[in-house]
Amino acid sequence: MNRREDFAAAAASYDNAVVLAREVGVRMAARLDCVKLAPRRLADIGCATGDGVRELTRRFPVALPLALDFAPPMLAAVQARASWWERMRGRAPRCVAADVQALPLATNSLDLVWSNLMLHWLPDPPTLHSAFAELQRVLVEGGLLHFAMFGPDTLKELRAAAAKTNAVLPAPTFLDMHDIGDMLMAAGFGDPVMEMEMLTLTYRTPRSFLADQRHLGVRNGLLGKLGWREWRRVFAAWESLDGLLPARFEIVYGHAWKLAPRTAPDGRAIVHFDRMKTKK
């Protein structure tokens, strides 16, 4: 299966294994406490089963909430979790099947975009830059992009174990937060704020770790594909801590604002003149 099919197949089991994303979502929400924002329209991009859009709806009850994901079964789970009262009042999230690189949304239509642990799945830096440019397009001037991604030290324990066995772990290479900040500015965002922290999950066995990744629909994307015999050697070299296997994830948090445009669509520079105040 490809990545889209992996995520779609994981919709039924996702909520049973989503400990990390839920914790990251809590920490993302806490960072919004420091931001002065009253959005009229907001979107959770890569919403999965909808934890993010539900938090945003609770936090900004007047805003129109959109839930976007490229896996329709995930969107069906979002709809199933909306209460009848939300549906009656028109407060249930509007679900949209879409790819982040080609959003079916009008330019300047959102005040807030939230994305929790999705953007790092884009295959290469040019694709991520394209996604940032698209998110910048749909935000209003002064709108906020708020996201979390995996950083390059994610699962370093497994890479170290693979190195001991001379195995090449075909896992993705995640970007450093400084590179992400540069890409945000190149896409037209201003004042990017980047932070990083390490979060650790522990597992009793490699099998339970693999089951979590499969339930989330990210096993192949996160770990790549090795033969079972090679995996057994890697797991045998995975160093335990107090009888448990540690899996550390580097979480990169970022937020950035959409700036006023510096050039017109035809390339001409935009110059703003402010009226001078005269003394009376």
Side-chain angles (χ1 to χ4, degrees):
M1 292 192 296
N2 61 30
R3 190 164 297 165
R4 187 183 299 261
E5 292 169 337
D6 286 341
F7 281 119
S13 60
Y14 184 88
D15 284 338
N16 294 325
V18 71
V19 174
L20 180 63
R22 282 203 173 123
E23 179 60 27
V24 172
V26 168
R27 295 172 185 232
M28 287 179 64
R31 284 166 167 79
L32 286 179
D33 291 340
C34 303
V35 175
K36 186 177 181 181
L37 195 66
R40 294 173 299 164
R41 296 175 298 274
L42 57 84
D44 180 0
I45 308 288
C47 63
T49 56
D51 280 348
V53 75
R54 285 191 290 275
E55 167 60 26
L56 293 173
T57 300
R58 183 196 66 79
R59 185 174 287 263
F60 304 112
V62 178
L64 173 69
L66 301 178
L68 290 90
D69 203 284
F70 69 5
M74 291 291 190
L75 296 172
V78 175
Q79 292 177 323
R81 285 163 175 75
S83 69
W84 70 270
W85 180 240
E86 288 175 320
R87 295 190 185 98
M88 286 289 292
R89 296 174 60 229
R91 300 302 305 145
R94 276 65 164 175
C95 293
V96 181
D99 190 297
V100 68
Q101 296 179 81
L103 297 171
L105 302 175
T107 299
N108 303 325
S109 60
L110 297 175
D111 301 288
L112 170 64
V113 167
W114 162 294
S115 184
N116 181 6
L117 298 185
M118 183 279 290
L119 291 167
H120 54 252
W121 296 122
L122 298 175
D124 50 41
T127 309
L128 179 58
H129 180 273
S130 173
F132 281 150
E134 181 68 347
L135 294 172
Q136 197 265 4
R137 178 187 69 81
V138 299
L139 280 166
V140 300
E141 183 181 320
L144 178 66
L145 170 62
H146 187 49
F147 64 91
M149 301 169 60
F150 287 156
D153 278 342
T154 294
L155 295 183
K156 61 190 304 183
E157 298 86 359
L158 272 182
R159 289 201 300 275
K164 292 178 183 177
T165 66
N166 295 318
V168 177
L169 196 63
T173 300
F174 299 122
L175 294 175
D176 179 86
M177 67 176 182
H178 300 98
D179 295 328
I180 296 170
D182 290 342
M183 293 176 69
L184 286 167
M185 296 186 69
F189 287 98
D191 302 323
V193 176
M194 308 299 301
E195 303 175 75
M196 180 277 288
E197 67 176 337
M198 299 297 298
L199 299 181
T200 303
L201 301 183
T202 56
Y203 295 88
R204 295 191 179 279
T205 65
R207 189 178 296 274
S208 60
F209 168 73
L210 290 175
D212 256 10
Q213 309 317 309
R214 184 178 67 254
H215 291 155
L216 294 170
V218 303
R219 176 173 167 175
N220 290 336
L222 186 60
L223 302 174
K225 293 183 179 180
L226 285 180
W228 178 240
R229 185 171 297 177
E230 293 174 290
W231 272 122
R232 288 185 64 181
R233 291 199 299 269
V234 171
F235 288 146
W238 189 356
E239 293 186 7
S240 63
L241 181 65
D242 297 328
L244 297 172
L245 297 170
R248 293 201 296 169
F249 294 82
E250 180 182 347
I251 309 299
V252 174
Y253 301 95
H255 73 249
W257 303 88
K258 179 174 178 176
L259 299 176
R262 297 177 181 176
T263 60
D266 60 5
R268 290 178 297 167
I270 296 176
V271 180
H272 296 278
F273 294 94
D274 296 322
R275 184 183 298 275
M276 294 181 60
K277 293 183 179 180
T278 57
K279 295 182 179 180
K280 295 182 179 180

